[in-house]
Amino acid sequence: MPHSSFRTREWLYAAPLLLAMSPLPAEERAGLLNGLSMINDLPWMKAAGLRVHSWADAGIVYNANDPGDGYNGPVVFADRANEFNLHQLGGELIRDVNTGGDHWDVGGKLTLMYGSDARFNTINPYGGGHWDNRLIGSDERFYKLAIPNAYLDIFTPIGKGLTTRIGRFYTIMGYETGLSPDNFFYTHPYTFQYGEPFTHFGMTTTYPVHQNLSVTLGAVTGGHTKLNGVLDGNGAWDGFDKNMENWNFLGGATWTSDDAATSFTATMITGDVNSDNNLREFQRQTGINKRDNRTFYSLVLQHNFAERWHYVLQHDHGIEQQHPLNNFADAEWYGIHSQMKYDVTDTVGVGLRGEWFRDDDGVRVGQMCPSCAVLATGPANYYAATLGVNWKPAKWLMLRPEARYDWSEGVDAYDERNKDSQFIFGADVVVTF
């Protein structure tokens, strides 16, 4: 069935959003939504230190190009043009680990996500992963079910306290996240979409070296390049269920000023994309002794110029040896994006985001987008300027209208590879309950 036909179950899953926009008095709407989270008040939940958190996000993006394939690409997540989408219906079971005591403690999080965003958060959608990528049948092109978080946090009272995370979890890299309620803007920058990891499987340990400095060190599974006789280059970052014998280093450090107005985070991941066994099989079939290291770092500066002015500056840079999509030459990508946000009131914020992303060898944009239309590939610069409003009329309700202009140099990246620019205007509604 075509995606533009909004099916019955999507209407059911969008019920919280319809409730938020209903003509019911505000008190009644809030009461009904709060009733959905009454489970947190159950005695056994409180005794176990457990809580649930859930949200729904739906929106629509108008594309001035009116592309024939209905795709906003290379913008992903809010990637369908001129269609209403249920982006995320998410739920979490959480136990916060106590890191302030002198005793061992265990916490963790399990996150389930359904919607058009979920396909970007499944295990290795590019390389044939099946752990959560196939929970919903392959005939479902746009709507998937993902499990981006499934981890335990263990606090160990050694020194100032070690916190160890084990399982599958969102990356520590970059500024924005894959969970809708945690972002200011509706859409994402190219650095997030094409440059960075989304999730990892493995273990990290975080230690507060100083009251202003914490360090994280860990090991996560390497990516996985789909092997079908030869490498095809569509390597994801999270190799769980396909690459358990291959491990990468993941680590970083965060410094925060005494007044918490400024912070700086530096993170890095490095290691082989494929396992030794896969590489040996590739060499046996092709005679190519492939080097396989991929190294990526991200730097994020955050600063509050005043009580209401918030600034973010991020720089990413990645390189992969002998990339199959670059004729087995090394491939490189890098970018800068910045955000300035102003709190007009306690409930209304205005933000401006600008970005430049360089796909230096044409191996990222157009290659890392599951279930997307065919995108232009090749060495190119991508630019984006976004003006957005974030309005929270209630604690459980957030509206994010935004206007965004994208343009490219080197390829015609928009409107079915016919134009070098596009203007989109979108708005979504996020309800937490």
Side-chain angles (χ1 to χ4, degrees), residues 94-237:
I94 306 166
R95 188 185 192 280
D96 297 318
V97 65
N98 180 10
T99 61
D102 56 0
H103 297 87
W104 287 69
D105 194 38
V106 178
K109 180 182 291 186
L110 175 66
T111 303
L112 301 179
M113 178 193 298
Y114 173 82
S116 60
D117 285 0
R119 68 190 192 275
F120 304 108
N121 293 273
T122 59
I123 287 286
N124 194 12
Y126 324 107
H130 62 268
W131 186 64
D132 57 355
N133 189 42
R134 300 180 185 176
L135 290 175
I136 291 181
S138 58
D139 59 322
E140 292 288 345
R141 182 182 176 193
F142 297 105
Y143 282 81
K144 293 291 184 179
L145 182 65
I147 310 176
N149 285 314
Y151 64 79
L152 291 177
D153 282 336
I154 304 171
F155 176 75
T156 307
I158 297 176
K160 297 178 181 179
L162 287 170
T163 303
T164 301
R165 179 162 294 177
I166 303 173
R168 190 188 186 209
F169 44 85
Y170 273 114
T171 187
I172 63 173
M173 312 191 78
Y175 175 69
E176 295 198 1
T177 178
L179 301 181
S180 290
D182 298 336
N183 297 305
F184 182 93
F185 292 95
Y186 179 16
T187 64
H188 291 286
Y190 288 94
T191 49
F192 174 84
Q193 296 173 160
Y194 296 106
E196 307 166 5
F198 287 173
T199 59
H200 304 285
F201 178 83
M203 180 183 73
T204 62
T205 296
T206 301
Y207 185 76
V209 178
H210 183 269
Q211 64 178 1
N212 303 99
L213 179 65
S214 64
V215 174
T216 298
L217 302 174
V220 296
T221 54
H224 169 69
T225 302
K226 183 179 179 181
L227 284 169
N228 187 17
V230 296
L231 300 173
D232 69 8
N234 291 329
W237 293 92

Side-chain angles (χ1 to χ4, degrees), residues 232-249:
D232 69 8
N234 291 329
W237 293 92
D238 190 341
F240 173 52
D241 90 346
K242 286 288 186 177
N243 218 0
M244 291 294 289
E245 68 271 29
N246 181 33
W247 292 84
N248 288 192
F249 166 81

Side-chain angles (χ1 to χ4, degrees), residues 4 6 46 65 113 209 298 309 317 344 350 357 369 378 382 392 405:
S4 58
F6 196 62
K46 290 184 175 181
N65 289 336
M113 178 193 298
V209 178
S298 181
W309 288 95
H317 187 191
V344 181
V350 177
F357 181 76
C369 186
Y382 296 86
K392 300 177 181 177
Y405 183 69

Side-chain angles (χ1 to χ4, degrees), residues 400-426:
R400 298 183 299 191
E402 73 171 42
R404 172 170 173 159
Y405 183 69
D406 294 75
W407 68 102
S408 59
E409 294 178 349
V411 297
D412 291 333
Y414 311 96
D415 191 15
E416 299 184 282
R417 297 172 287 176
N418 291 314
K419 296 181 180 178
D420 63 0
S421 66
Q422 73 176 8
F423 171 79
I424 59 176
F425 176 80

